Each structure stands twice: as structure tokens, then as C-alpha cells.
Amino acid sequence: KGMALPQRILFPPEKICMDWQQRQRAGAGLHNLGNTCFLNSVLQCLTYTPPLANYLLSWEHSQSCHQQGFCMMCIMEAHVNKVLHSSASAIQPWTVVNVLTRIGEHFQLGMQEDAHEFLHYTVDAMQRACLSGSSDLDISSQATTIVHQIFGGFLRSRVTCLSCRAVSDSYEAFLDVPLDVKTASSVTAALEDFVKPEQLDGENCFKCSKCDKMVATTKRFTIHHMPKVLTVYLKRFEDFTGRKISKVVEYPEYLDLWPYKSQTAGEPLLYALYAVLVHSGGSCHAGHYFCYTKASNGLWYEMNDASVDGRGINTVLRQQAYLLFYVR
């Protein structure tokens, strides 16, 4: 509603399987190859993303891939199959480390990088791989790749004129939702702040097409199209100093997104937590990343580089989370 329909469907949505098709205990850990904990923890969170793993485990992508050279989907397919089918307790993730500069040219082996940035570049590289050979597509069609259908959603930005109440809507695609945690003590409180209308006046006035003049308005973001997998990015690092906001931010095992969507009708929209990425340390320039993931057997594991150990949900929910992954 309100958005242009795609001219082409790149991946049939009915083929995306949300529940694990194979049930097993957690797969292999990942050896640290020199400051690669940021990469290891992100890869583990992606490996246990059910709709993505189901697709990659089927080897469907590589069977039809015509890309010459670097293809992030082929690389992820090889990596996920290796992790989940390995008899070793840990493997070396060279498949991904070898293409680090292809994922993002500023990434350097041996340097500690930001896990959220690495996730963003990796999902983006997977999206580019799915769009390979179809460069002239409209925005709505680009959103029909399997990657965008899993991780992507659309935000609606609604500007309302305070004089005549005229409404102007615009839409933007997102792959994760960034939440400010300076003032919020929980993810739900931060989401409420995210969708709270903001008044724009003075220098920030907006030209209303109906009033034909600069007017005061309100601007409000809502989630217009829900992703199948919601990635929440808690903004723990201050923009200029890199100093960390090391407070407790509570997050639920089950999250209802209904209060934050554009359309007010409908049922609750429940999402279940399946991965938590944690940063320990005082600033974005140092510290260590590890994660907790829920394997296809329904049990939680702490994945800290090469070690993989079972954990209870209470431990999982008490972490200083940096990234949270929820599946619909």
C-alpha cells in the first residue's frame, strides 16, 4: 500500500522457508585468524538465520550462479555448509577472510573492525550478488531478491502539515533498525522513541504543497513493510569519541512489532530472538566480540571464536547486546 509494485520478482516469496528443515546441534566454532572476532561473531549469527541457512544448505544458489569472480552468496553458501556439516569442533573461516577487501575495501586482515559495519557490508554484498546481471531494475524489484526479502523492510516517513493537515509520505528500504539507547533502558522503549512524531519548525520548516509556503510540520517514522528477519542495531558507540554506552538495555525473547507499524489494523506481529551479538570492552576501537545463537535443535549456544558451549535463555537475555536478531 502506497508503494510501487515490483516489475519483476527475482525470487518467489513462497519458496522462502522460515522453519529449520534439518534439526541438529550447533555446528563448528570459528578459529580467530588475528583480530577476526568481529567477523566470526557476525558469520555465526548469519549461519543460524533459519530462512537464509535453509536456502544456502540446498546449494540452490551455486547451481544457477553465472557470476564471474567474487560472489558473496557462493562464499556464504560454502561457509554455512562447512560450519553445519563439519565434524571438527572448529574450522578456519578462510573462505570469507580471503575476500575481506572484496566485502569492503577498507577492511584489513589483522585489524579489529566494527561488527555492525561488517554485517552491513556482508548483507549488502549478498544483495549485490543476487542482483548480478539485472542492474536496471526499479527499487521495488530490487527488494524481491531472497536477501532483501529476508532482511529487508521499508520505513515510511510521514510529514504532516500543522496548518492544513496535508500528509506527504516517502519510503526507504532498510536492512536493520538503528536504535538510540542513550535515554532508553529497553528495546521496546527505544522503538517507541523511534516512532515518536518529531516536530519540525523554525529553520527546519517544510514547504507544504497545499499551503504553498514554509510551515511547521511533524515527521514520523513507522515500519511500513516488515522484514522476515529483524536486525536491531543498538547505537552503543558515541559518534565522535567512539566511547561506549555500557548500560544495560533490556531486550525480550519475543518482540511484538505491531505498535511500530504504519497500518494500525491487524494481529500481533511476533518475532522470536535467535541471535545476540555482544561487544565487551570500553570503546569501538578495542574489545572483543562474541555471540549467542539458537541452533536448529532449539537450544542456545555461546559462540566465542573456536569455542561453542550450551547456555540457558536467562544467560542469553542478560548480555550487553550490540546486535539483536529476531525471526518472524
Side-chain angles (χ1 to χ4, degrees):
K1 188 178 180 301
M3 288 172 56
L5 286 171
Q7 291 160 9
R8 261 180 76 193
I9 305 285
L10 297 173
F11 190 87
E14 63 277 5
K15 277 181 66 183
I16 298 174
C17 183
M18 297 299 289
D19 293 318
W20 284 103
Q21 288 172 302
Q22 306 168 9
R23 299 206 173 264
Q24 58 183 79
R25 68 177 300 283
L30 302 176
H31 287 292
N32 194 317
L33 304 176
N35 274 338
T36 55
C37 61
F38 72 95
L39 172 142
N40 288 349
S41 49
V42 167
L43 288 178
Q44 294 289 34
C45 293
L46 290 173
T47 298
Y48 294 92
T49 297
L52 179 66
N54 286 331
Y55 176 67
L56 297 176
L57 288 168
S58 73
W59 294 102
E60 190 183 318
H61 176 81
S62 56
Q63 284 162 13
S64 61
C65 179
H66 304 300
Q67 217 161 320
Q68 300 299 311
F70 171 66
C71 169
M72 195 64 209
M73 285 302 276
C74 286
I75 284 160
M76 282 303 293
E77 188 181 75
H79 175 81
V80 168
N81 274 281
K82 194 173 174 186
V83 167
L84 294 180
H85 295 146
S86 174
S87 55
S89 64
I91 63 159
Q92 298 186 336
W94 284 112
T95 324
V96 178
V97 172
N98 284 335
V99 294
L100 198 52
T101 54
R102 302 297 299 270
I103 296 169
E105 52 193 38
H106 60 294
F107 291 138
Q108 284 178 304
L109 182 55
M111 295 289 287
Q112 171 73 286
E113 305 286 357
D114 179 81
H116 171 249
E117 193 182 12
F118 179 70
L119 172 70
H120 184 84
Y121 274 86
T122 301
V123 174
D124 204 52
M126 286 159 63
Q127 168 72 350
R128 285 201 309 278
C130 293
L131 287 172
S132 153
S134 38
S135 53
D136 50 350
L137 286 174
D138 59 291
I139 298 282
S140 299
S141 299
Q142 288 176 30
T144 65
T145 64
I146 183 160
V147 170
H148 208 284
Q149 287 189 64
I150 292 173
F151 295 101
F154 280 88
L155 290 177
R156 183 184 77 185
S157 165
R158 170 163 285 186
V159 176
T160 308
C161 170
L162 291 177
S163 300
C164 74
R165 311 302 298 174
V167 163
S168 162
D169 288 341
S170 59
Y171 303 92
E172 61 178 279
F174 69 85
L175 290 169
D176 57 41
V177 174
L179 293 183
D180 215 318
V181 294
K182 274 200 183 99
T183 56
S185 60
S186 68
V187 162
T188 44
L191 277 165
E192 277 158 30
D193 288 344
F194 184 74
V195 298
K196 201 156 56 188
E198 173 193 6
Q199 187 152 333
L200 303 175
D201 45 30
E203 285 178 3
N204 299 320
C205 275
F206 182 84
K207 178 147 190 183
C208 173
S209 52
K210 272 206 176 149
C211 300
D212 199 30
K213 61 177 186 205
M214 301 301 280
V215 290
T217 58
T218 60
K219 181 180 183 177
R220 182 178 186 229
F221 281 110
T222 46
I223 304 175
H224 195 69
H225 177 77
M226 295 290 166
K228 288 182 165 53
V229 165
L230 174 75
T231 310
V232 175
Y233 154 53
L234 303 181
K235 292 157 80 174
R236 283 199 179 272
F237 299 120
E238 293 181 357
D239 287 345
F240 299 109
T241 60
R243 206 170 62 80
K244 186 171 162 193
I245 302 167
S246 296
K247 62 191 265 190
V248 172
V249 179
E250 290 184 6
Y251 47 95
E253 185 180 1
Y254 296 97
L255 178 65
D256 182 8
L257 278 192
W258 183 82
Y260 318 108
K261 67 188 189 81
S262 305
Q263 306 85 351
T264 48
E267 301 291 304
L269 277 171
L270 277 185
Y271 283 73
L273 186 70
Y274 73 89
V276 179
L277 190 145
V278 182
H279 174 269
S280 62
S283 89
C284 66
H285 310 296
H288 179 61
Y289 291 104
F290 59 100
C291 66
Y292 294 84
T293 62
K294 190 179 187 176
S296 59
N297 61 3
L299 300 177
W300 282 92
Y301 295 86
E302 180 182 322
M303 303 198 165
N304 194 335
D305 287 335
S307 67
V308 175
D309 299 296
R311 292 288 181 262
I313 184 64
N314 292 339
T315 303
V316 174
L317 294 175
R318 281 204 308 268
Q319 300 303 313
Q320 213 178 84
Y322 182 40
L323 299 171
L324 297 166
F325 296 81
Y326 285 91
V327 64
R328 192 159 166 178

